[in-house]
Amino acid sequence: MSLKQTLVSRDDSQQPEINEKTIAAAVTGEESPDTLVRKKRAIPKKRQDVLKWNGWGYKDSGFVYRDGDLLFSGDRYPLGNLILPYFTNWVRDRLGGNFALKVESIEEPDDTTFPEANVTSELISKIEEIGVTYSVQGGDRLFRSHGHTLHDIFTLRTGNFPRIPDLVVWPESHNHVVAVVNLAQTLGVVLIPYGGGTSVSGALSVPENERRTVVSLDMSQMNRILWVDEANLICCAEAGIIGQDLEGQLRTLGFTTGHEPDSYEFSSLGGWVATRASGMKKNTYGNIEDLLVHVKMVTPRGTVEKHCKVPRISAGPDIHHFVLGSEGSLGVITEVVLKIRPLPICKRYGSVVFPDFASGVSAMREVAKERCQPASIRLMDNEQFKFGHSLRAPVGFLGNLSSAAKQFYLTKFKGLDLNQICVATLLFEGQKHEVNVQEQRIYGIAAKFGGMPGGDSNGERGYILTFVIAYIRDIALDYNIVAESFETSVPWSHTFNLCENVKLRVINECRARGIRHHFITCRVTQTYDVGACVYFYFAFNYAGMSDPVRVFEEIETTARDEILANRGSISHHHGIGKLRAKWVPHTMSQTGVGALLHIKRAVDPDNIFGNGNILSSPETMVQPQQSQEDSFMHSKL
């Protein structure tokens, strides 16, 4: 029996769908869906078995220095096992990297070094009655005490956190979660939801002054696709499923969500909703708020959900919009219904070389104005172009000859300055004729702004490199270099100026502190009718500095102030957490903040979900001199 013939109906919707057993059969090759077979997940329950305890990603993957050059270990990524002499030289020249002076991380702590868990026998007994597995082991608690900010990783490498969860629990169903939340309400226990652990906003850290028992609610075992509805092109999945598992299973059925954030390998579906995530292919498939059809969120006052799954409803304020972006501060997301699409027939990469960044931004704006964006279009400034270009292996005499010929063509024949050019990488998806038309329009617009095609291999390489860039910070920390990314959204009228002003502000701040070797770069990653998302990468050599993280955070704070002064937002997709909470008053009025507080009191009056995200205490908030709305309205657009 074929997959499409194996359909069942649900009583609540009477719509044909593929249920979990059918999905398991398709994924595992079993003919009959009668016996549920679980697919092996990419990340195991004990995450530290395959993931680094003090860095990004897989244990078997990462940049290492060996025999005079950097290389990327493992075979999971296209850079795997390649020697990277150009990148080695770039690190030396641009950031003053001294590979003779390695800064070793502390050893992974053993269970005897952690503070004793603050748990009662009553709590453990009740957890066992519910039937949820749990752990008080120090390694499990530590792994779920942090995300991936620079502060988090530097702390892991050099010391310890002042507070970590006391207990980790692994629910396996919505009903399990309801029971755990009710228990926490009864016993006065704090719950911190944990999805993929990829947060870069401090959202997972335990508030230092929290004296109640803190439980990390690890959602990783709620990782199933429950059903797929082919008629309406939607699927329902549990919130703990990570991106690569969700997409891998859907692809076996011929579908995709199209949601592909940079953290796609490790981040979870629930985390995407909780942070209002955005993916690299949002132009075709939408951001998470565009994909969301239905969501369940368990709070101490009950489950928040709609009683219908329709494309649109006019029934007062949309409750989905206080679930989206709630960052685990109101409740925990358990199930999500998403839009899906058939897998694209045609997938094609491309790139465009522009004479300078201003020309590239103007072209991006024109593409957005004509609403002809491909699935992904991202513009790198010159610094990022040169950085990315260094991440390549030696190519031999003929390859070097070809590279020299290309440089000659660009500089002598086209008159471009290699210290000014920038590159846009492109990904087209759809029907073949649609992709052909889209390519013609994009390259036609680019030509109006001095852009020329740069080849599909450069486009593919630029797109795929996204997944290895996160590994760079770990090798940087080994050699006295701190690095981090931050992002924003901004109106088109201020996009170019924001990019230039923020970079200049960071450079001046580094010079004022006597930092000789520093690096600041940006790229325009998402385009909209009214503006764009801009992503910054910032790094500096901290050799001889006693507290580099404090210095980094001071400079990043000035960069964020500069972003806001240039009409940028607090965040495009990373969220607020604790790291950006002090800027909330720049983002909404006092009445808006009050409305959020009232929602919190309505669904969680005892602050059971007490992670401290989004709304910090009033005395720590930066008070704006002028509201963003006023600034925006009075600016010259």
Side-chain angles (χ1 to χ4, degrees):
M1 182 180 292
S2 72
L3 181 63
K4 292 187 177 181
Q5 291 172 324
T6 310
L7 299 174
V8 298
S9 64
R10 287 171 58 89
D11 292 336
D12 62 348
S13 63
Q14 296 300 313
Q15 57 195 16
E17 65 185 32
I18 302 168
N19 65 13
E20 186 187 355
K21 294 181 181 180
T22 311
I23 295 164
V27 171
T28 60
E30 298 287 336
E31 285 297 322
S32 172
D34 294 333
T35 302
L36 175 60
V37 181
R38 287 181 180 269
K39 179 181 181 292
K40 185 178 179 181
R41 311 298 172 179
I43 309 300
K45 184 176 182 179
K46 198 170 186 65
R47 298 168 189 251
Q48 53 268 47
D49 286 348
V50 298
L51 301 181
K52 297 186 184 78
W53 75 275
N54 64 347
W56 178 265
Y58 295 105
K59 285 182 175 180
D60 60 9
S61 301
F63 292 90
V64 294
Y65 182 74
R66 187 181 301 159
D67 299 328
D69 278 310
L70 289 168
L71 61 86
F72 194 88
S73 63
D75 55 9
R76 294 178 185 270
Y77 303 92
L79 276 185
N81 298 312
L82 293 181
I83 298 173
L84 304 168
Y86 306 113
F87 183 51
T88 307
N89 291 334
W90 184 89
V91 173
R92 285 195 181 105
D93 297 341
R94 194 68 180 80
L95 286 168
N98 184 348
F99 294 107
L101 300 175
K102 186 174 182 181
V103 182
E104 298 286 353
S105 168
I106 63 173
E107 293 294 321
E108 183 175 1
D110 61 48
D111 283 339
T112 64
T113 64
F114 294 99
E116 186 176 351
N118 174 28
V119 294
T120 64
S121 57
E122 181 184 14
L123 174 60
I124 297 298
S125 175
K126 295 293 186 183
I127 289 291
E128 290 175 344
E129 286 180 17
I130 294 170
V132 174
T133 57
Y134 65 90
S135 173
V136 293
Q137 291 184 356
D140 291 331
R141 294 159 55 205
L142 176 66
F143 205 92
R144 292 154 184 84
S145 67
H146 63 85
H148 281 272
T149 65
L150 172 63
H151 182 275
D152 291 334
I153 303 305
F154 199 88
T155 299
L156 286 169
R157 292 171 57 95
T158 60
N160 53 66
F161 294 102
R163 186 79 162 85
I164 65 174
D166 300 295
L167 181 70
V168 180
V169 299
W170 286 273
E172 296 185 13
S173 68
H174 172 81
N175 289 339
H176 270 174
V177 173
V178 171
V180 170
V181 172
N182 288 340
L183 176 61
Q185 175 74 25
T186 300
L187 299 183
V189 168
V190 173
L191 298 176
I192 298 182
Y194 185 95
T198 59
S199 165
V200 288
S201 65
L204 294 172
S205 63
V206 180
E208 293 182 28
N209 60 354
E210 182 55 73
R211 297 294 174 259
R212 295 174 292 176
T213 297
V214 177
V215 175
S216 175
L217 194 59
D218 188 321
M219 300 295 289
S220 62
Q221 301 312 291
M222 292 181 60
N223 52 29
R224 300 167 298 173
I225 297 177
L226 299 178
W227 48 262
V228 174
D229 177 355
E230 287 188 315
N232 295 305
L233 287 178
I234 56 176
C235 75
C236 180
E238 292 175 315
I241 193 168
I242 62 170
Q244 61 174 312
D245 286 341
L246 175 63
E247 283 297 302
Q249 293 179 54
L250 285 175
R251 283 170 187 161
T252 65
L253 307 176
F255 298 107
T256 179
T257 66
H259 189 70
E260 202 167 276
D262 293 4
S263 60
Y264 148 90
E265 297 168 279
F266 310 111
S267 56
S268 70
L269 173 58
W272 298 345
V273 176
T275 57
R276 296 185 69 94
S278 178
M280 292 186 284
K281 299 190 289 188
K282 77 93 194 163
N283 295 332
T284 296
Y285 301 98
N287 290 317
I288 195 65
E289 65 269 23
D290 305 309
L291 290 165
L292 185 68
V293 176
H294 187 265
V295 62
K296 283 185 181 180
M297 182 175 75
V298 179
T299 79
R301 287 291 179 90
T303 299
V304 175
E305 66 174 320
K306 294 180 182 179
H307 292 309
C308 59
K309 301 177 184 69
V310 294
R312 188 177 187 275
I313 183 171
S314 178
D318 191 340
I319 60 173
H320 284 175
H321 285 288
F322 74 77
V323 177
L324 284 156
S326 56
E327 299 186 16
S329 63
L330 302 177
V332 57
I333 296 162
T334 58
E335 294 178 13
V336 180
V337 177
L338 289 178
K339 300 173 188 175
I340 57 175
R341 296 293 303 165
L343 287 170
I345 300 298
C346 180
K347 184 174 184 177
R348 198 176 296 164
Y349 293 93
S351 63
V352 178
V353 180
F354 290 100
D356 52 47
F357 190 61
S359 301
V361 171
S362 296
M364 294 277 278
R365 200 284 170 263
E366 188 64 25
V367 168
K369 188 186 294 183
E370 295 194 18
R371 290 187 172 178
C372 60
Q373 297 102 316
S376 174
I377 176 169
R378 301 187 296 173
L379 178 73
M380 299 178 285
D381 70 3
N382 183 259
E383 286 280 11
Q384 194 162 145
F385 159 70
K386 290 188 283 190
F387 157 70
H389 193 58
S390 74
L391 285 166
R392 70 189 196 280
V395 290
F397 175 75
L398 291 178
N400 287 328
L401 188 63
S402 173
S403 180
K406 290 176 183 177
Q407 289 190 23
F408 181 83
Y409 174 77
L410 290 174
T411 57
K412 302 300 182 182
F413 188 72
K414 287 294 185 179
L416 299 181
D417 182 349
L418 294 182
N419 291 316
Q420 291 292 323
I421 64 172
C422 69
V423 175
T425 58
L426 309 168
L427 171 61
F428 302 90
E429 288 189 356
Q431 298 292 328
K432 187 175 180 180
H433 69 276
E434 294 173 334
V435 168
N436 289 338
V437 170
Q438 205 168 40
E439 275 188 318
Q440 290 179 352
R441 293 189 70 185
I442 294 296
Y443 290 123
I445 291 172
K448 296 177 182 178
F449 296 91
M452 66 184 73
D456 55 356
S457 60
N458 286 327
E460 182 175 10
R461 187 169 163 277
Y463 189 87
I464 294 174
L465 276 178
T466 299
F467 298 109
V468 302
I469 286 176
Y471 285 92
I472 292 177
R473 183 173 62 187
D474 296 336
I475 188 68
L477 288 170
D478 284 344
Y479 297 100
N480 288 298
I481 297 167
V482 288
E484 184 71 287
S485 64
F486 52 95
E487 42 69 61
T488 185
S489 53
V490 59
W492 281 116
S493 55
H494 294 86
T495 299
F496 178 76
N497 285 343
L498 180 144
C499 293
E500 297 300 297
N501 290 342
V502 170
K503 288 189 288 186
L504 181 60
R505 179 71 178 270
V506 168
I507 290 169
N508 289 338
E509 293 290 336
C510 287
R511 289 172 176 168
R513 290 167 171 79
I515 300 172
R516 290 181 55 206
H517 299 285
H518 49 80
F519 173 68
I520 178 71
T521 180
C522 74
R523 67 184 183 203
V524 179
T525 63
Q526 315 278 40
T527 62
Y528 300 87
D529 287 353
V530 299
C533 168
V534 178
Y535 221 105
F536 292 92
Y537 291 100
F538 171 41
F540 65 78
N541 189 313
Y542 70 88
M545 193 178 291
S546 61
D547 192 353
V549 174
R550 177 185 59 80
V551 174
F552 190 101
E553 290 174 345
E554 287 176 356
I555 297 175
E556 186 183 357
T557 294
T558 65
R560 181 66 57 186
D561 289 338
E562 189 68 29
I563 285 172
L564 294 173
N566 283 270
R567 314 299 192 262
S569 71
I570 191 172
S571 175
H572 172 264
H573 60 271
H574 281 171
I576 297 171
K578 302 171 190 64
L579 193 63
R580 288 173 279 276
K582 63 183 178 180
W583 284 287
V584 167
H586 288 272
T587 303
M588 65 186 77
S589 67
Q590 185 176 353
T591 303
V593 172
L596 292 183
L597 289 171
H598 279 291
I599 291 173
K600 169 71 172 175
R601 294 181 187 122
V603 300
D604 186 19
D606 298 315
N607 197 27
I608 298 304
F609 289 90
N611 56 20
N613 292 340
I614 304 177
L615 298 175
S616 64
S617 57
E619 60 270 17
T620 65
M621 288 186 174
V622 178
Q623 297 301 319
Q625 297 178 355
Q626 184 182 28
S627 74
Q628 269 208 304
E629 182 180 3
D630 289 343
S631 298
F632 182 83
M633 293 302 293
H634 289 95
S635 65
K636 295 180 179 180
L637 301 179

